[in-house]
Amino acid sequence: MENEKIYQMRFDKVYGCLVQKAERKGRTKEEVDEIIRWLTSYSQQELDHFLKEPPAYGDFFRNAPALNDKRRLIKGKICGIRVEDIEKPLMQEIRYLDKLVDELAKGKLMDSILRK
């Protein structure tokens, strides 16, 4: 049930939280956008549109044009749970984004975050 609550959240609300987290640590909205584009293959124009007409957060990931294959290289804990061990595929995609923004907020370089 808790997962369903997260899936139904509006994209713009979650996005705002991700940007705030990054900005509190001296990072930028543009860097968060770059991470989201890398992970989901959405264009910047599509992201901007989603802020005006936000989909449910679960739908944002379900309808992503192409999830980056390198996302499987994302390892580590988010909220005390290892992202690579999350069994529900949609929740794992959501937590990948959380983990990437955590790495951004911790000061990692974008090349490292984007698994280059």
Side-chain angles (χ1 to χ4, degrees):
M1 187 65 180
E2 186 65 26
N3 289 346
E4 207 46 51
K5 186 176 176 182
I6 293 169
Y7 301 157
Q8 295 305 315
M9 293 176 71
R10 287 176 29 166
F11 170 75
D12 61 330
K13 299 296 183 193
V14 177
Y15 175 84
C17 292
L18 295 172
V19 170
Q20 286 177 1
K21 181 178 194 170
E23 289 179 341
R24 279 194 308 268
K25 299 295 184 169
R27 305 306 289 258
T28 67
K29 171 193 172 300
E30 290 74 22
E31 288 173 310
V32 173
D33 288 355
E34 183 177 354
I35 288 169
I36 294 171
R37 290 191 317 265
W38 176 86
L39 181 62
T40 64
S41 298
Y42 282 118
S43 69
Q44 186 63 49
Q45 184 178 12
E46 289 169 313
L47 286 181
D48 293 341
H49 173 75
F50 292 147
L51 294 175
K52 293 175 188 159
E53 295 182 29
Y57 201 43
D59 291 340
F60 174 79
F61 283 96
R62 284 184 197 106
N63 299 325
L67 294 167
N68 193 310
D69 289 337
K70 289 186 178 181
R71 74 190 186 286
R72 301 286 182 210
L73 299 175
I74 301 168
K75 308 285 184 207
K77 289 185 177 183
I78 188 78
C79 300
I81 299 170
R82 299 199 68 75
V83 294
E84 61 270 27
D85 295 339
I86 296 172
E87 292 181 12
K88 295 186 186 249
L90 181 56
M91 183 53 67
Q92 188 174 47
E93 304 304 341
I94 288 170
R95 295 302 184 192
Y96 281 147
L97 179 56
D98 290 342
K99 181 65 178 162
L100 293 174
V101 173
D102 269 3
E103 291 178 3
L104 180 69
K106 289 178 181 176
K108 284 196 173 186
L109 298 174
M110 285 300 286
D111 280 354
S112 173
I113 295 167
L114 303 182
R115 307 316 195 246
K116 292 185 178 178

